[in-house]
Amino acid sequence: MKLSQLRKRLSGDHNFKGHTILGSMCTEPHKIAVKTFKRFLSTNVGDPGLFPKLIELEKDYIKSLGQLLSCEAPGGSVVSGGSEANILAMWTARNRAQKHKREVIISEFCHFSFDKAADLLGLTLVKIPVGSDYKIRTDLARKAVGENTMAIVGIAGTTGLGVCDPISELSEIAVEHNIYLHVDAAFGGFVFPFINGSSKFDFSLPGVMSITVDPHKMGRAVIQSGCIIFREKEIEESLKIDVSYLSGGRAINRSILGTRSGASIAASWMVLNYLGYDGYRKNVQNVMKLTDWFVNEVRSIKGLGVKVQPECNIVGVCTTGDINLKDLIREIRKCGWAVSEWPDYIRIAVMPHVSKRSLVKFLADIKRILEFFSVNN
Ligand code: 0PR
């Protein structure tokens, strides 16, 4: 079997260079990430005795992200993605809580990784409705706090619409009742710090104990790269498993995985150091400029609207009047576009691989479809 044959076999799949992927929270990794990843692909930080320098690099990376999120001496690890990071956060919170406390207060729009965490860890998610802004209703969150509350979760960049829950209010509730507060910034962690005036979600809020941030989303790193950051190293102590038999002697493991990619760490570190905060800010400015343009265009099309004014580069495009969303999505997909379908909107993620040219073409296709609908109705 030749590589070319494999390529041919997989050629029907979408790819980020093909400009058809409009609904994905991942993107083409930065070139420097790809190069670095390839160079270190056989490294496994699950055996730290073999790769002590990579372990140092991981600490260095976590420290840099901690600083971006207003924390000078964070704990944490580079993990496989946002799901693993969220599960680790819930695992930590559970280990720190008294045995009867098993409830997690969280938005009804949380990512499904929390349902997994609840199932794995024997937790109950107390899902709180959102308001008209699609953010958790903090009045209801406050009322839900009780004897059994183990943790509160806030989302900085929801999966569907990219909005940021009122984390500062959640932090007040958490402090008042001495409850663990985790922030899922899997998407927003590499976006909001670079948008002036965006809501606070980081460790500057006293209740925040841990934050999920994914380099493999807006961090321009390689899949699989996620991060769990803890306010203090002490918080993650309960995750620690002492592995005595490995090559360097006593190794500490604090993740779900055993064998763990050192290449993800090296590549994520490299992009951060190559781009710097200024590079990320530029990236975010570019996608936000395109997002604003796209939103205006969508609003100008009869039959279309946006679900909510975007806070980051995620847009919920909805239909108005008698246009059936499902019919529209079916036709859009027939044109070759890969969009993400939600019950009452289409999620467009204006990621770095999305060009204005492809959005222009996408909108032209939509207009054509809408005209076809109106003629045939
Ligand atoms: N938290 C939030 C807020 C998320 O949006 C996601 C994933 C996660 C946690 C979990 O992250 P991992 O997928 O890294 O474990 N959000 C995307 C979503 O569900 C994941 C994704 C990315 C899906 C690219 C499709 C895709 O093409 O939409």
Side-chain angles (χ1 to χ4, degrees), residues 16 21 23-26 80-84 86 111-114 155 157-159 184 186-187 212 214 216-217 342 347:
F16 292 116
I21 304 180
S24 171
M25 284 183 153
C26 289
S80 57
S83 299
E84 187 182 353
N86 285 338
H111 185 258
F112 59 80
S113 48
F114 290 99
I155 313 166
T158 56
T159 306
D184 179 1
F187 190 78
T212 290
D214 278 357
H216 71 196
K217 294 189 170 74
W342 291 69
R347 176 186 76 185

Side-chain angles (χ1 to χ4, degrees), residues 58 78 94 113 127 161 170 179 216 293:
E58 180 181 28
V78 177
R94 195 201 64 174
S113 48
K127 291 197 180 171
L161 292 167
L170 295 179
I179 300 169
H216 71 196
W293 171 84

Side-chain angles (χ1 to χ4, degrees), residues 104-141:
V104 178
I105 294 175
I106 193 164
S107 158
E108 60 172 322
F109 285 167
C110 65
H111 185 258
F112 59 80
S113 48
F114 290 99
D115 296 283
K116 292 185 184 179
D119 196 16
L120 286 165
L121 298 165
L123 311 174
T124 302
L125 299 186
V126 180
K127 291 197 180 171
I128 306 292
V130 297
S132 55
D133 53 3
Y134 301 93
K135 303 177 184 197
I136 190 169
R137 283 205 28 206
T138 49
D139 56 331
L140 299 181

Side-chain angles (χ1 to χ4, degrees), residues 197-330:
S198 56
S199 324
K200 260 197 189 172
F201 70 95
D202 66 12
F203 293 109
S204 60
L205 302 169
V208 176
M209 302 297 271
S210 53
I211 304 183
T212 290
V213 187
D214 278 357
H216 71 196
K217 294 189 170 74
M218 281 295 285
R220 306 292 312 272
V222 172
I223 295 171
Q224 307 219 264
S225 313
C227 283
I228 177 71
I229 319 272
F230 294 102
R231 172 183 285 280
E232 288 163 8
K233 293 193 175 73
E234 176 273 323
I235 301 173
E236 60 180 344
E237 277 303 284
S238 76
L239 294 177
K240 190 164 127 184
I241 291 193
D242 212 333
V243 188
S244 58
Y245 66 87
L246 290 176
S247 12
R250 299 189 54 191
I252 304 295
N253 190 303
R254 286 193 193 82
S255 54
I256 293 175
L257 304 185
T259 300
R260 197 158 63 91
S261 165
S264 288
I265 298 170
S268 301
W269 185 94
M270 197 63 197
V271 193
L272 179 62
N273 282 276
Y274 185 86
L275 291 178
Y277 293 165
D278 286 346
Y280 276 117
R281 186 167 292 109
K282 188 105 207 62
N283 253 308
V284 169
Q285 279 168 352
N286 289 341
V287 293
M288 286 313 294
K289 202 170 152 209
L290 194 53
T291 302
D292 290 343
W293 171 84
F294 179 68
V295 167
N296 283 333
E297 290 295 307
V298 167
R299 285 197 167 121
S300 73
I301 298 173
K302 193 167 166 267
L304 287 190
V306 292
K307 201 77 190 132
V308 66
Q309 178 62 33
E311 285 177 26
C312 67
N313 49 327
I314 304 285
V315 186
V317 177
C318 52
T319 49
T320 57
D322 53 5
I323 307 293
N324 183 299
L325 181 71
K326 282 210 171 305
D327 290 344
L328 178 62
I329 293 176
R330 192 190 58 238

